[in-house]
Amino acid sequence: MRLLLFGVGMQEIIVIALIVLLLFGGKKIPELMNGLGKGVKSFKDGMKDTENDGKD
């Protein structure tokens, strides 16, 4: 049974998560996720700005 986009199931997600944990370690992952969250937030803000520029 495939759960997510691109045919990635729960087992594949678990394997990917374990590999990421092994590569980066437990202390580095929160920092990476924080940076990713900030990047997504700034991207959304930039998209809002371009939408507002298009309306003017």
Side-chain angles (χ1 to χ4, degrees):
M1 184 169 123
R2 298 293 177 182
L3 298 175
L4 300 173
L5 194 62
F6 303 119
V8 178
M10 187 57 73
Q11 291 177 339
E12 289 89 355
I13 291 175
I14 292 172
V15 170
I16 292 169
L18 288 174
I19 292 171
V20 168
L21 183 61
L22 289 173
L23 288 175
F24 295 108
K27 293 181 180 179
K28 198 70 171 172
I29 292 175
E31 295 174 19
L32 292 171
M33 292 299 115
N34 189 14
L36 181 65
K38 286 180 181 179
V40 169
K41 185 178 185 304
S42 67
F43 177 76
K44 286 183 180 180
D45 290 343
M47 292 300 292
K48 286 181 185 177
D49 290 343
T50 57
E51 286 177 4
N52 291 338
D53 289 344
K55 291 180 182 178
D56 291 341

